[in-house]
Amino acid sequence: MKPQTPMTHPRFWITFAALLLVAVPASAADYPVKITAARVGLPPGGKATDRDENGQAAHVAKFACWAPVYVDLDLATSVNDQAELVIEAADPDEIATTLAVPLNLAGSAVGKLAAVDVGCVGYVRPAGVGEVTITIRTKDGKALSEPFRVRSLRPRDPLTYVVLSLGGPLSGFDLPKPSGAPDAATDLRGGRVELTTISDVAQLPDRWVGYETADLVILNTAPGSDEFLRKLFGETSGATEKAKRAALLEWLRRGGRLVVTVGANAALVSQLPALRELLPLEVKGTRTPGIIRLSWPTRAASQTSTMTKDLGQKGATFPVANLLAKADRSARILMPLPDPTSPAKEIIAGQSAFGLGKVTVIGLDLDRAPFTEFPSRPEFWDWVLYEGGANRASGGDGKARPTTGSLTEDEDEAAVALRTHIDTFDGVPVVSFGWVAMLIVFYILLIGPVEYYFLKRVLGRLELTWITFPIIVLTVSLAAYFSAYSLKGRDLKINKIDLVDVDPASGRVYGTTWFTVFSPRIDTYTIGVTPGDGWGDTEPGTAVSWVGAPRGGRASLLRRKYSYHTDAASVADGLEKVPVQVWGTKSFGANWSGGFNATAPTAIVRSELLHPPGDANAVIGSFTLNLPTPVLSDCVLFYAGQAYPLPGGTVRPGEVVRPVWDKLVPAAQWLQKEGGLTELLRRAPNFSAGPGGPKPVAPQPGTAATAFGVLPPWGILFHEAALSHGEGVIPRNASLRRLDQSWRLNPDNRSEVILVGRVVTPAGSPAEEALSGPDSASRLWLRELPGSGPRTPIPGTGRQETWVRVYLPIR
């Protein structure tokens, strides 16, 4: 009898079959829910340049901007468990991130549910061309669907200008063609301007971060959008619709840009209090002229000229909204052009602030005749974009977007400079590649020719390599280890920058924080950011995420991952268990806000500024700051397009400041001369000022971050005003547009004074004192999430830079 081998023994096959049963995943039929399609980004609204794997027009997402996620579902059976949608994507370091949001499927009928039925269900922040995996599971982790992979995600680079239309598509939207472009060309600014559209309230994001991809939102109130408007702004709106309205308004308060077009539906708009209160002007019915004269500033090379055209034709009429100034008269009249000798009688367009954002209302329907037949339609739309959105950014950068629609490595230099600044640490020298290469060559020579020569020629016993080789490897490893500890140190180090906007009109403090963690060991960190003591009570809506450069590819094969914290009030208000390697760095950003009682005697800001009787251009009075910081330094005031460096440059808590308004300088002139924009941009390795211009600068190997000095923030706070008007000068702040308040420096803006100052923090302070003390507007959490328990003090050292911008209302 032949002896049995392991391959012929029955036990082998039984064991093999059992392993197969365990290893084979469940089929789709075993799950109660099937994800049949998923789309990431805002729904397309113009000419589709990209297609997904199914040949459909691809949704639009941008690098490092939160994008909504839409799914189509097929329910095989009813789902009664509490479900959640889990979205997984890689960050710029190719570490997997997961975000889980509640998904209410209880009561849903068995069968197919399209995205218009399910609505926006989640959010993802693309780090580059790669894969997004979506799964549905129960709260306790049981899978309800098999993973669905979106492999066609191609986010746009930050330089793309995205226009989102709400309520209906923008028929006839067009922009002037660049010189030399064919008349038949349909792309906008070489593909740098893209249109998106949401016509169903169900598809609107329910969190403010869902609008982050949009640079400008246009609310179309023309006939046909009635149901959309009633659902979103009506007094009888349901809880879901109210959450979507709140998300839009919160995005606007945090720096969004909104244009509202009102024509034939003026009566409906005036019946919706939530919408009426949002507008800078009162809407009182319509008038029906045959012809109206439109005059607006237009871009012509580097100069601004005025275009005047007649809209309409004799023998026909069209509806125009009656726009009237509100009681507070804080709105700026855009059209007709301001005339100091006589007030505007028939207003066509006006604008005002809403938190950090701005709202522009235009009393015309721009998606129907006669405007769609207007010969100067492209030039007028160009005015809408730069007046309602970011002025110079909407003009493009002169470079066409790649025809593939894929993400490039193009980044705005302001964001790169900021990231480089926080990623450079005091006392942590940068070892140049030349030294590393030289040491590698030395190591190869040591374990190769040198060891061979020593054993062969000196000892004459090559077999001793079994002893000498491990000794050499161990010795070099220990030398490298202790050398690194000597150079890099054993302390946790953190660099942090806070840019804080204080808005007494809304009783809110809006903070943007960037920070980099230098870890002296392999560790994980749980990240959270809240307002510091005295900077207001924490408001919901905080968003915390990674900061990095565009990068394609999948998550690391090592399957390192961390998760976003999500609750009923916020999406991604913290990060849990973020891995950082030994002597490695990881950068993060946070958008947070705090609330305060602006009428309290001890409010953060008290403004007693006012216009004297009979002179609406002058300002008298005083203001008082009660900030928790000991002193605000390098203070500059801005009013009606003028800059006024405060004498002495400091403001202390409780000090009554009475500006005398002498020695005023045009704001743009002051910013271009004193704002340090070039100094800021030179920190970016990709900075180019053209032939003969200044070159990028960076700390040399072996030097500290203080070689940079303090980050000059003016190029972030007022970027477009800090730009010169020379030929070829383009904006370089695409990722930071929402922080640019250059539009408030208009000479016609006489409703507020803007104060900007810096908090001076002593260098080399302990991390806890520097990052969470009175000189820091935000409090950093590294070991637990805010609200989960007592906060663990931060060890090590920290470098803190805080800049404060205050909007002082004028009565």
Side-chain angles (χ1 to χ4, degrees), residues 51-256:
R51 301 281 172 178
D52 60 21
E53 58 262 34
N54 299 319
Q56 301 295 319
H59 285 214
V60 177
K62 260 200 307 195
F63 163 74
C65 291
W66 288 100
V69 176
Y70 303 91
V71 297
D72 294 346
L73 304 177
D74 189 353
L75 274 63
T77 61
S78 59
V79 177
N80 296 318
D81 297 320
Q82 288 188 330
E84 58 184 14
L85 189 84
V86 182
I87 304 169
E88 182 175 310
D91 74 359
D93 296 321
E94 298 181 351
I95 303 175
T97 68
T98 60
L99 184 146
V101 292
L103 181 63
N104 185 13
L105 296 177
S108 298
V110 174
K112 295 183 178 181
L113 294 174
V116 292
D117 302 312
V118 180
C120 169
V121 292
Y123 305 91
V124 68
R125 195 162 182 256
V129 177
E131 188 174 274
V132 176
T133 303
I134 303 171
T135 311
I136 298 175
R137 70 185 184 193
T138 62
K139 290 286 187 180
D140 56 6
K142 177 185 175 183
L144 296 176
S145 76
E146 61 181 349
F148 184 94
R149 291 177 172 82
V150 179
R151 295 185 172 91
S152 59
L153 179 60
R154 297 182 179 87
R156 310 298 191 262
D157 59 50
L159 280 62
T160 304
Y161 196 85
V162 177
V163 178
L164 170 61
S165 170
L166 301 182
L170 301 175
S171 304
F173 182 93
D174 200 3
L175 294 172
K177 303 289 189 299
S179 58
D183 293 337
T186 57
D187 58 347
L188 304 170
R189 304 266 195 252
R192 286 297 184 186
V193 175
E194 292 213 29
L195 291 181
T196 59
T197 298
I198 296 179
S199 301
D200 193 311
V201 172
Q203 291 188 302
L204 291 174
D206 61 353
R207 308 296 173 99
W208 73 265
V209 295
Y211 290 94
E212 209 176 25
T213 300
D215 294 286
L216 175 64
V217 173
I218 299 178
L219 178 60
N220 183 358
T221 69
S225 63
D226 303 42
E227 183 182 0
F228 182 94
L229 295 174
R230 288 192 176 95
K231 281 186 176 181
L232 186 59
F233 294 103
E235 293 182 299
T236 58
S237 301
T240 300
E241 287 76 18
K242 288 181 179 178
K244 295 176 183 293
R245 181 204 308 167
L248 175 62
L249 298 184
E250 186 64 16
W251 168 80
L252 187 57
R253 289 189 187 95
R254 293 176 184 250

Side-chain angles (χ1 to χ4, degrees), residues 483-494:
S483 297
Y485 254 121
S486 175
L487 291 172
K488 303 289 187 180
R490 304 187 181 189
D491 293 333
L492 177 72
K493 298 177 184 290
I494 301 173

Side-chain angles (χ1 to χ4, degrees), residues 153 227 353 525 585 617 721 734 755:
L153 179 60
E227 183 182 0
Y525 299 89
T585 62
N617 297 325
L755 166 69

Side-chain angles (χ1 to χ4, degrees), residues 368-550:
R368 57 197 59 232
F371 186 80
T372 52
E373 302 164 358
F374 189 35
S376 299
R377 185 182 71 255
E379 289 76 17
F380 191 89
W381 270 120
D382 189 36
W383 172 79
V384 172
L385 258 63
Y386 74 71
E387 189 63 68
N391 191 322
R392 298 171 70 172
S394 62
D397 60 356
K399 297 187 295 183
R401 189 170 66 87
T403 55
T404 59
S406 60
L407 178 69
T408 69
E409 293 184 356
D410 288 342
E411 277 194 280
D412 49 298
E413 290 92 332
V416 178
L418 179 62
R419 191 171 66 240
T420 302
H421 185 80
I422 61 173
D423 201 35
T424 309
F425 286 84
D426 296 338
V428 181
V430 180
V431 181
S432 68
F433 176 76
W435 276 103
V436 174
M438 187 177 69
L439 292 174
I440 291 174
V441 171
F442 174 76
Y443 179 63
I444 293 174
L445 292 174
L446 186 62
I447 62 174
V450 173
E451 184 197 25
Y452 176 81
Y453 181 85
F454 179 76
L455 295 178
K456 178 74 174 178
R457 300 295 184 183
V458 179
L459 299 181
R461 298 181 63 183
L462 290 175
E463 65 274 14
L464 291 178
T465 189
W466 293 102
I467 299 175
T468 57
F469 183 79
I471 291 175
I472 293 173
V473 172
L474 182 62
T475 302
V476 172
S477 299
L478 290 174
Y481 177 80
F482 287 109
S483 297
Y485 254 121
S486 175
L487 291 172
K488 303 289 187 180
R490 304 187 181 189
D491 293 333
L492 177 72
K493 298 177 184 290
I494 301 173
N495 293 336
K496 183 159 75 76
I497 295 176
D498 288 325
L499 294 185
V500 184
D501 288 283
V502 182
D503 181 29
S506 60
R508 295 278 292 273
V509 175
Y510 302 94
T512 304
T513 298
W514 300 271
F515 59 98
T516 298
V517 175
F518 171 84
S519 181
R521 62 187 63 84
I522 298 176
D523 207 342
T524 59
Y525 299 89
T526 294
I527 308 292
V529 178
T530 55
D533 288 339
W535 291 93
D537 300 324
T538 302
E539 295 276 345
T542 297
V544 182
S545 191
W546 46 261
V547 170

Side-chain angles (χ1 to χ4, degrees), residues 632-636 649 714 755-759 802-806:
L632 203 61
S633 304
D634 303 333
C635 294
V636 180
W714 304 101
L755 166 69
V756 179
R758 177 170 72 97
V759 179
T802 303
W803 287 84
V804 182
R805 179 168 52 185
V806 184

